[in-house]
Coordinates of all heavy atoms in Angstrom, one line a residue:
M612 N -79.2 7.3 -0.3 CA -78.4 8.3 -0.9 C -77.8 9.2 0.1 O -78.5 9.7 1.0 CB -79.3 9.0 -1.9 CG -78.6 10.1 -2.7 SD -79.7 10.6 -3.9 CE -79.4 12.4 -3.9
V613 N -76.5 9.4 0.1 CA -75.9 10.3 1.0 C -75.7 11.7 0.4 O -75.2 11.8 -0.7 CB -74.4 9.8 1.4 CG1 -73.7 10.7 2.3 CG2 -74.6 8.4 2.0
L614 N -76.2 12.7 1.1 CA -76.0 14.1 0.6 C -74.9 14.8 1.2 O -74.5 14.6 2.3 CB -77.3 14.9 1.0 CG -78.6 14.4 0.4 CD1 -79.8 15.2 0.9 CD2 -78.6 14.5 -1.1
S615 N -74.1 15.5 0.4 CA -73.0 16.2 0.9 C -73.5 17.5 1.7 O -74.5 18.1 1.3 CB -72.1 16.8 -0.3 OG -71.6 15.7 -1.0
P616 N -72.8 17.9 2.7 CA -73.2 19.0 3.5 C -73.2 20.3 2.6 O -72.3 20.4 1.7 CB -72.3 19.1 4.6 CG -71.3 18.2 4.4 CD -71.6 17.2 3.3
V617 N -74.1 21.2 2.8 CA -74.1 22.4 2.0 C -73.4 23.5 2.8 O -73.8 23.8 4.0 CB -75.6 22.9 1.8 CG1 -75.7 24.2 1.1 CG2 -76.3 21.8 1.0
S618 N -72.4 24.1 2.2 CA -71.8 25.2 2.8 C -72.3 26.5 2.4 O -72.5 26.7 1.2 CB -70.2 25.2 2.5 OG -69.6 26.3 3.2
I619 N -72.7 27.4 3.4 CA -73.2 28.6 3.0 C -72.2 29.8 3.2 O -72.5 30.9 3.2 CB -74.5 28.9 3.9 CG1 -74.2 29.0 5.3 CG2 -75.6 27.9 3.6 CD1 -75.4 29.5 6.2
L620 N -71.0 29.4 3.4 CA -69.9 30.4 3.7 C -69.2 30.7 2.3 O -69.2 29.9 1.4 CB -68.9 29.8 4.6 CG -69.5 29.3 5.9 CD1 -68.4 28.6 6.8 CD2 -70.1 30.5 6.7
G621 N -68.8 32.0 2.2 CA -68.2 32.4 1.0 C -69.2 33.0 0.0 O -70.4 33.1 0.3
G622 N -68.7 33.4 -1.2 CA -69.6 33.9 -2.2 C -69.7 35.4 -2.2 O -69.0 36.1 -1.4
D623 N -70.5 36.0 -3.1 CA -70.6 37.4 -3.2 C -71.5 38.0 -2.0 O -72.3 37.3 -1.4 CB -71.4 37.8 -4.5 CG -70.5 37.4 -5.7 OD1 -69.3 37.5 -5.6 OD2 -71.1 37.1 -6.8
S624 N -71.2 39.3 -1.7 CA -72.0 39.9 -0.6 C -73.4 40.2 -1.1 O -73.6 40.6 -2.2 CB -71.3 41.2 -0.2 OG -70.0 40.9 0.4
V625 N -74.3 40.1 -0.2 CA -75.7 40.4 -0.4 C -76.1 41.7 0.3 O -76.7 42.6 -0.1 CB -76.7 39.2 0.0 CG1 -78.1 39.7 -0.2 CG2 -76.3 38.0 -0.8
Y626 N -75.7 41.8 1.6 CA -76.0 42.9 2.5 C -74.7 43.6 2.9 O -73.7 42.9 3.1 CB -76.8 42.4 3.7 CG -78.0 41.6 3.4 CD1 -78.1 40.3 3.7 CD2 -79.1 42.3 2.9 CE1 -79.3 39.6 3.4 CE2 -80.3 41.6 2.6 CZ -80.3 40.2 2.9 OH -81.5 39.5 2.6
C627 N -74.8 44.9 3.1 CA -73.7 45.6 3.6 C -74.0 46.0 5.1 O -75.0 46.4 5.4 CB -73.4 46.9 2.8 SG -72.8 46.6 1.1
I628 N -73.0 45.7 5.9 CA -73.0 46.2 7.3 C -71.9 47.2 7.4 O -70.7 46.8 7.2 CB -72.8 45.0 8.3 CG1 -74.0 44.0 8.1 CG2 -72.7 45.5 9.7 CD1 -73.7 42.7 8.8
N629 N -72.3 48.4 7.7 CA -71.2 49.4 7.8 C -70.4 49.3 9.1 O -70.9 48.7 10.0 CB -71.7 50.8 7.5 CG -72.6 51.4 8.5 OD1 -72.4 51.3 9.7 ND2 -73.7 52.0 8.1
E630 N -69.3 50.1 9.1 CA -68.4 50.0 10.2 C -69.1 50.5 11.5 O -68.9 50.0 12.6 CB -67.2 50.8 9.9 CG -66.0 50.6 10.9 CD -64.7 51.3 10.5 OE1 -64.6 51.7 9.4 OE2 -63.8 51.4 11.4
A631 N -69.9 51.6 11.4 CA -70.5 52.2 12.6 C -71.5 51.1 13.2 O -71.6 50.9 14.4 CB -71.3 53.4 12.2
Q632 N -72.3 50.4 12.3 CA -73.2 49.4 12.8 C -72.4 48.3 13.5 O -72.9 47.8 14.6 CB -74.0 48.8 11.6 CG -75.0 49.7 11.0 CD -75.6 49.2 9.7 OE1 -74.9 48.7 8.9 NE2 -76.9 49.2 9.7
M633 N -71.3 47.8 12.9 CA -70.5 46.8 13.5 C -70.0 47.2 14.9 O -70.0 46.5 15.9 CB -69.4 46.3 12.6 CG -68.6 45.2 13.2 SD -69.6 43.7 13.5 CE -69.8 43.1 11.8
N634 N -69.5 48.5 15.0 CA -69.0 49.0 16.2 C -70.1 49.1 17.3 O -69.8 48.8 18.4 CB -68.3 50.4 16.0 CG -67.0 50.2 15.2 OD1 -66.3 49.2 15.2 ND2 -66.6 51.3 14.6
Q635 N -71.3 49.5 16.9 CA -72.3 49.7 17.9 C -72.8 48.3 18.3 O -73.2 48.1 19.5 CB -73.5 50.5 17.2 CG -73.2 51.9 17.0 CD -74.3 52.6 16.2 OE1 -75.0 52.0 15.4 NE2 -74.3 53.9 16.3
A636 N -72.8 47.3 17.4 CA -73.2 45.9 17.7 C -72.2 45.4 18.7 O -72.6 44.7 19.8 CB -73.3 45.1 16.5
K637 N -70.9 45.6 18.5 CA -69.9 45.0 19.4 C -70.0 45.7 20.7 O -69.8 45.1 21.8 CB -68.5 45.3 18.8 CG -68.2 44.3 17.7 CD -66.8 44.6 17.1 CE -66.4 43.6 16.0 NZ -65.0 43.9 15.5
Q638 N -70.3 47.0 20.8 CA -70.4 47.7 22.0 C -71.6 47.2 22.8 O -71.5 46.9 24.0 CB -70.6 49.2 21.8 CG -70.6 50.1 23.1 CD -70.7 51.5 22.8 OE1 -70.9 52.0 21.7 NE2 -70.6 52.3 23.8
L639 N -72.7 46.9 22.2 CA -73.9 46.4 22.8 C -73.5 45.0 23.4 O -73.9 44.6 24.5 CB -75.0 46.3 21.9 CG -76.4 45.9 22.4 CD1 -76.9 47.0 23.4 CD2 -77.4 45.7 21.3
A640 N -72.9 44.2 22.6 CA -72.5 42.8 22.9 C -71.5 42.7 24.0 O -71.4 41.7 24.7 CB -72.1 42.0 21.7
E641 N -70.6 43.7 24.1 CA -69.4 43.6 25.0 C -69.5 44.5 26.2 O -68.9 44.2 27.2 CB -68.2 43.8 24.2 CG -67.9 42.8 23.1 CD -66.8 43.1 22.2 OE1 -66.1 44.2 22.4 OE2 -66.5 42.4 21.2
E642 N -70.2 45.6 26.1 CA -70.1 46.6 27.1 C -71.5 47.0 27.8 O -71.5 47.5 28.9 CB -69.5 47.9 26.6 CG -68.1 47.7 26.0 CD -67.5 48.9 25.3 OE1 -68.1 50.0 25.5 OE2 -66.5 48.8 24.6
D643 N -72.6 46.8 27.1 CA -73.9 47.2 27.7 C -74.1 46.3 29.0 O -74.1 45.0 28.8 CB -74.9 47.1 26.7 CG -76.3 47.5 27.2 OD1 -77.0 46.7 27.9 OD2 -76.6 48.7 27.1
P644 N -74.5 46.8 30.1 CA -74.6 46.0 31.3 C -75.7 44.9 31.3 O -75.5 43.9 31.8 CB -75.0 47.1 32.3 CG -74.6 48.4 31.8 CD -74.6 48.3 30.3
E645 N -76.8 45.2 30.5 CA -77.8 44.2 30.5 C -77.7 43.3 29.2 O -77.7 42.1 29.3 CB -79.2 44.8 30.4 CG -79.5 45.5 31.8 CD -80.9 46.1 31.8 OE1 -81.7 45.8 31.0 OE2 -81.1 47.0 32.7
S646 N -77.5 43.9 28.1 CA -77.5 43.3 26.8 C -76.3 42.4 26.7 O -76.4 41.2 26.1 CB -77.6 44.2 25.6 OG -78.8 44.9 25.6
S647 N -75.2 42.8 27.1 CA -74.0 41.9 26.9 C -74.1 40.6 27.6 O -73.6 39.6 27.1 CB -72.7 42.7 27.4 OG -72.7 42.9 28.8
I648 N -74.7 40.6 28.8 CA -74.9 39.3 29.5 C -75.7 38.4 28.7 O -75.4 37.2 28.5 CB -75.5 39.6 30.9 CG1 -74.4 40.3 31.8 CG2 -75.9 38.2 31.5 CD1 -75.1 40.8 33.0
K649 N -76.8 38.9 28.2 CA -77.8 38.0 27.4 C -77.1 37.6 26.1 O -77.2 36.4 25.7 CB -79.0 38.8 27.1 CG -79.9 39.1 28.3 CD -81.3 39.6 27.9 CE -81.2 41.0 27.4 NZ -82.5 41.6 27.1
I650 N -76.4 38.4 25.4 CA -75.8 38.2 24.1 C -74.7 37.2 24.3 O -74.6 36.2 23.5 CB -75.3 39.4 23.4 CG1 -76.5 40.3 23.0 CG2 -74.5 39.1 22.2 CD1 -76.2 41.7 22.6
K651 N -73.8 37.4 25.2 CA -72.7 36.5 25.5 C -73.2 35.1 25.9 O -72.6 34.1 25.4 CB -71.7 37.0 26.6 CG -70.9 38.2 26.1 CD -70.0 38.8 27.3 CE -69.3 40.0 26.8 NZ -68.4 40.5 27.9
S652 N -74.2 35.0 26.7 CA -74.7 33.7 27.0 C -75.3 32.9 25.9 O -75.0 31.8 25.7 CB -75.8 33.9 28.1 OG -76.5 32.8 28.4
M653 N -76.0 33.7 25.0 CA -76.6 33.0 23.8 C -75.5 32.6 22.8 O -75.5 31.5 22.3 CB -77.5 34.0 23.1 CG -78.3 33.4 21.9 SD -79.3 31.9 22.4 CE -80.5 32.7 23.4
I654 N -74.5 33.4 22.7 CA -73.4 33.1 21.7 C -72.6 31.8 22.3 O -72.3 30.9 21.5 CB -72.4 34.2 21.6 CG1 -73.0 35.3 20.7 CG2 -71.1 33.8 20.9 CD1 -72.3 36.6 20.6
K655 N -72.4 31.8 23.6 CA -71.7 30.6 24.2 C -72.5 29.4 23.9 O -71.9 28.3 23.5 CB -71.5 30.9 25.6 CG -70.7 29.8 26.3 CD -70.5 30.0 27.8 CE -69.7 28.9 28.5 NZ -69.4 29.2 29.9
S656 N -73.8 29.4 24.1 CA -74.6 28.3 23.9 C -74.6 27.9 22.4 O -74.5 26.7 22.0 CB -76.1 28.6 24.3 OG -77.0 27.6 24.0
L657 N -74.8 28.8 21.5 CA -74.8 28.6 20.1 C -73.5 28.0 19.6 O -73.5 27.0 18.8 CB -75.1 29.8 19.2 CG -76.5 30.4 19.4 CD1 -76.6 31.8 18.7 CD2 -77.5 29.4 18.8
E658 N -72.4 28.5 20.1 CA -71.1 28.0 19.7 C -70.8 26.6 20.2 O -70.0 25.9 19.5 CB -69.9 29.0 20.1 CG -70.0 30.3 19.2 CD -69.0 31.3 19.6 OE1 -68.4 31.2 20.7 OE2 -68.7 32.2 18.8
S659 N -71.4 26.2 21.2 CA -71.2 24.8 21.7 C -72.2 23.9 21.1 O -71.9 22.7 21.0 CB -71.3 24.8 23.3 OG -72.6 25.1 23.7
D660 N -73.3 24.3 20.6 CA -74.4 23.4 20.1 C -74.5 23.4 18.5 O -75.0 22.5 18.0 CB -75.8 23.8 20.7 CG -75.8 23.6 22.2 OD1 -75.0 22.8 22.7 OD2 -76.7 24.2 22.8
F661 N -74.0 24.5 17.9 CA -74.2 24.6 16.5 C -72.9 24.5 15.7 O -71.9 25.0 16.2 CB -74.9 26.0 16.1 CG -76.4 26.1 16.4 CD1 -76.9 25.6 17.5 CD2 -77.1 26.8 15.4 CE1 -78.3 25.7 17.7 CE2 -78.5 26.9 15.7 CZ -79.1 26.4 16.8
S662 N -72.9 24.0 14.5 CA -71.7 24.0 13.7 C -71.5 25.4 13.2 O -72.4 26.3 13.3 CB -71.9 23.0 12.5 OG -72.9 23.6 11.6
R663 N -70.3 25.7 12.6 CA -70.1 27.0 12.0 C -71.1 27.3 10.9 O -71.6 28.4 10.8 CB -68.7 27.0 11.5 CG -68.2 28.4 11.0 CD -66.7 28.3 10.6 NE -66.3 29.7 10.4 CZ -66.1 30.2 9.1 NH1 -66.4 29.5 8.1 NH2 -65.6 31.4 9.0
N664 N -71.4 26.3 10.1 CA -72.4 26.6 9.1 C -73.8 26.8 9.6 O -74.5 27.7 9.1 CB -72.4 25.2 8.2 CG -72.9 25.5 6.8 OD1 -72.5 26.5 6.1 ND2 -73.7 24.6 6.3
E665 N -74.2 26.2 10.7 CA -75.5 26.4 11.3 C -75.5 27.8 11.9 O -76.6 28.5 11.8 CB -75.8 25.4 12.4 CG -76.0 24.0 11.8 CD -76.0 22.9 12.8 OE1 -75.4 23.0 13.9 OE2 -76.7 21.8 12.6
R666 N -74.4 28.2 12.5 CA -74.4 29.6 13.1 C -74.5 30.6 12.0 O -75.1 31.7 12.2 CB -73.1 29.8 13.9 CG -73.1 28.9 15.2 CD -72.0 29.3 16.2 NE -70.7 29.6 15.6 CZ -69.7 28.8 15.5 NH1 -69.8 27.5 15.8 NH2 -68.5 29.1 15.0
A667 N -73.8 30.4 10.9 CA -73.9 31.3 9.8 C -75.3 31.4 9.2 O -75.9 32.5 8.9 CB -72.9 30.9 8.6
A668 N -76.0 30.2 9.1 CA -77.4 30.1 8.7 C -78.3 31.0 9.6 O -79.1 31.7 9.2 CB -77.9 28.7 8.5
L669 N -78.1 30.8 10.9 CA -78.9 31.5 11.9 C -78.7 33.1 11.7 O -79.6 33.8 11.8 CB -78.6 31.0 13.3 CG -79.3 31.7 14.4 CD1 -80.8 31.6 14.3 CD2 -78.8 31.2 15.8
A670 N -77.4 33.4 11.6 CA -77.1 34.8 11.5 C -77.7 35.4 10.3 O -78.3 36.6 10.4 CB -75.5 35.0 11.5
F671 N -77.5 34.8 9.2 CA -78.1 35.3 8.0 C -79.7 35.4 8.1 O -80.3 36.3 7.6 CB -77.8 34.5 6.7 CG -76.3 34.4 6.4 CD1 -75.7 33.3 5.9 CD2 -75.5 35.6 6.7 CE1 -74.3 33.3 5.6 CE2 -74.1 35.6 6.4 CZ -73.6 34.4 5.8
T672 N -80.3 34.4 8.6 CA -81.7 34.4 8.8 C -82.2 35.5 9.7 O -83.1 36.2 9.5 CB -82.2 33.0 9.4 OG1 -81.8 32.0 8.5 CG2 -83.7 33.0 9.6
I673 N -81.5 35.8 10.8 CA -81.8 36.9 11.7 C -81.7 38.2 11.0 O -82.6 39.1 11.1 CB -80.9 36.8 13.0 CG1 -81.4 35.6 13.8 CG2 -81.1 38.1 13.8 CD1 -80.4 35.3 15.0
I674 N -80.5 38.4 10.2 CA -80.4 39.6 9.5 C -81.5 39.8 8.5 O -82.1 40.9 8.4 CB -79.0 39.7 8.8 CG1 -77.9 39.8 9.9 CG2 -78.9 40.8 7.8 CD1 -76.5 39.6 9.4
D675 N -81.9 38.8 7.8 CA -82.9 38.9 6.8 C -84.3 39.2 7.5 O -85.1 40.0 7.0 CB -83.0 37.6 6.0 CG -83.9 37.8 4.7 OD1 -83.7 38.8 4.0 OD2 -84.8 37.0 4.5
N676 N -84.6 38.6 8.6 CA -85.8 38.8 9.3 C -85.8 40.3 9.8 O -86.8 40.9 9.8 CB -86.0 37.9 10.5 CG -86.3 36.5 10.1 OD1 -86.7 36.2 8.9 ND2 -86.1 35.5 11.1
L677 N -84.7 40.8 10.3 CA -84.6 42.2 10.7 C -84.9 43.1 9.6 O -85.5 44.1 9.7 CB -83.3 42.5 11.4 CG -83.1 41.8 12.8 CD1 -81.6 41.9 13.2 CD2 -84.0 42.4 13.8
R678 N -84.3 42.8 8.4 CA -84.4 43.7 7.2 C -85.9 43.6 6.8 O -86.4 44.7 6.4 CB -83.5 43.1 6.1 CG -83.5 44.0 4.9 CD -82.6 43.4 3.8 NE -83.1 42.1 3.4 CZ -84.1 42.0 2.5 NH1 -84.7 43.1 2.0 NH2 -84.5 40.8 2.0
E679 N -86.5 42.5 6.8 CA -87.9 42.4 6.3 C -88.9 43.0 7.3 O -90.0 43.4 6.9 CB -88.3 41.0 6.1 CG -87.5 40.3 4.9 CD -87.9 40.9 3.6 OE1 -89.1 41.3 3.4 OE2 -87.0 41.0 2.7
N680 N -88.5 43.1 8.6 CA -89.5 43.5 9.6 C -88.9 44.7 10.4 O -88.9 44.7 11.6 CB -89.8 42.4 10.6 CG -90.4 41.2 9.9 OD1 -91.4 41.3 9.2 ND2 -89.8 40.0 10.0
R681 N -88.5 45.7 9.7 CA -87.8 46.9 10.3 C -88.7 47.6 11.4 O -88.2 48.0 12.3 CB -87.4 47.8 9.3 CG -86.3 47.3 8.5 CD -85.7 48.5 7.6 NE -84.5 48.0 7.0 CZ -84.3 48.1 5.6 NH1 -85.2 48.6 4.9 NH2 -83.1 47.6 5.2
D682 N -90.0 47.7 11.2 CA -90.8 48.4 12.0 C -91.4 47.6 13.2 O -92.2 48.1 14.0 CB -91.9 49.1 11.3 CG -92.8 48.2 10.5 OD1 -92.4 47.1 10.2 OD2 -93.9 48.6 10.1
K683 N -91.1 46.4 13.3 CA -91.6 45.5 14.4 C -90.7 45.5 15.6 O -89.5 45.7 15.5 CB -91.8 44.1 13.9 CG -92.9 44.0 13.0 CD -93.3 42.5 12.6 CE -94.4 42.4 11.7 NZ -94.7 41.1 11.3

C-alpha cells in the first residue's frame, strides 16, 4: 500500500509569534557573533538534508518543546 505524503503546511494558526520575538530571533541568527555562526551552520545543513515538510515539522516540534519546557 502506497501512502501519500502528509503536508503539515497551511491551516489555522496555533501559536502566535509576535513581531518583536521574530526581530530578536533574526538578530540572534544574523548578527550575534557566536550564535549566528551556529544557527547559520545548522540551517544550511537542515536545508540540504531535510525536505520543506521535514523542516516545518522540526520547527513546530522545537517551538512546542520550548513552550512546554519554558523553565528548562
Side-chain angles (χ1 to χ4, degrees):
M612 181 169 140
V613 177
L614 297 176
S615 299
V617 175
S618 177
I619 62 170
L620 306 172
D623 295 330
S624 294
V625 176
Y626 303 111
C627 291
I628 298 172
N629 69 43
E630 191 173 350
Q632 289 171 312
M633 183 59 72
N634 289 337
Q635 289 170 340
K637 286 182 179 181
Q638 185 176 8
L639 189 65
E641 296 171 5
E642 299 174 18
D643 185 270
E645 293 180 22
S646 294
S647 67
I648 293 169
K649 294 190 290 187
I650 293 168
K651 287 177 182 178
S652 173
M653 186 59 65
I654 289 172
K655 184 177 180 179
S656 176
L657 290 170
E658 288 181 342
S659 67
D660 295 340
F661 283 42
S662 70
R663 186 170 189 263
N664 205 41
E665 290 167 336
R666 292 191 320 264
L669 178 61
F671 295 149
T672 301
I673 290 170
I674 289 169
D675 194 50
N676 288 348
L677 289 168
R678 187 183 63 79
E679 293 293 326
N680 300 304
R681 285 192 175 123
D682 58 341
K683 288 187 179 181

